[in-house]
Amino acid sequence: MGPRTAPSPSKEVKPRSGGQPGRVSDRECHGNPPVLNNPKSVVKRQVSPEELQTPGGPYIKRTFTIVGDDVGWGFVVRGSAPCHIQAVDPSGPAAAVGMKVRQFVVSINGVNALSLDYRTVSHLILTGPRTVVMEVMEPLDC
């Protein structure tokens, strides 16, 4: 089997060049252009920010404090208004605190992210502190 790959914040995938297999690092996000790939979304259906905020709706809010390691935080964000968690590295910091795919991003370090696209959310994470506090909404059936 060939080398493992991981999506980068630019909707592309490139082979790993070091660190743990399958992990996206800060360095890889800004390095050479990766191999083009556009993986299918894991979200079963698109939802609106209003639907996520409806009291009594089918979502539960979770808050995660994720301390990045030497290769990143261990998750991939995709989508727009709201963004969702597309992938979680099972050996990364995000998985260690309970983050899962199909969760919708509500806020990053106190900044409301419900109306942002994944590039802006990725930028907030990459340019912020090493410890990221994220609020997400998770479907009750997840």
Side-chain angles (χ1 to χ4, degrees), residues 72-85:
W73 293 269
F75 65 95
V76 176
V77 174
R78 289 290 179 265
S80 179
C83 294
H84 63 276
I85 304 303

Side-chain angles (χ1 to χ4, degrees), residues 44-61:
K44 294 176 183 176
R45 69 177 185 84
Q46 185 61 35
V47 300
S48 69
E50 294 77 23
E51 183 179 351
L52 289 176
Q53 296 176 304
T54 301
Y59 298 93
I60 185 167
K61 185 181 279 188

Side-chain angles (χ1 to χ4, degrees), residues 16 20-26 63-76 85 87-100 103 125 130-132 134:
R16 290 284 301 159
Q20 295 179 345
R23 296 285 300 284
V24 175
S25 73
D26 301 353
T63 302
F64 299 117
T65 300
I66 308 163
V67 179
D69 62 17
D70 61 336
V71 292
W73 293 269
F75 65 95
V76 176
I85 304 303
V88 178
D89 179 347
S91 64
V97 299
M99 182 174 279
K100 300 184 238 177
Q103 292 172 325
I125 294 165
R130 192 157 191 80
T131 299
V132 175
M134 286 184 67

Side-chain angles (χ1 to χ4, degrees), residues 1-5 15 21-22:
M1 186 181 323
R4 289 180 59 184
T5 59

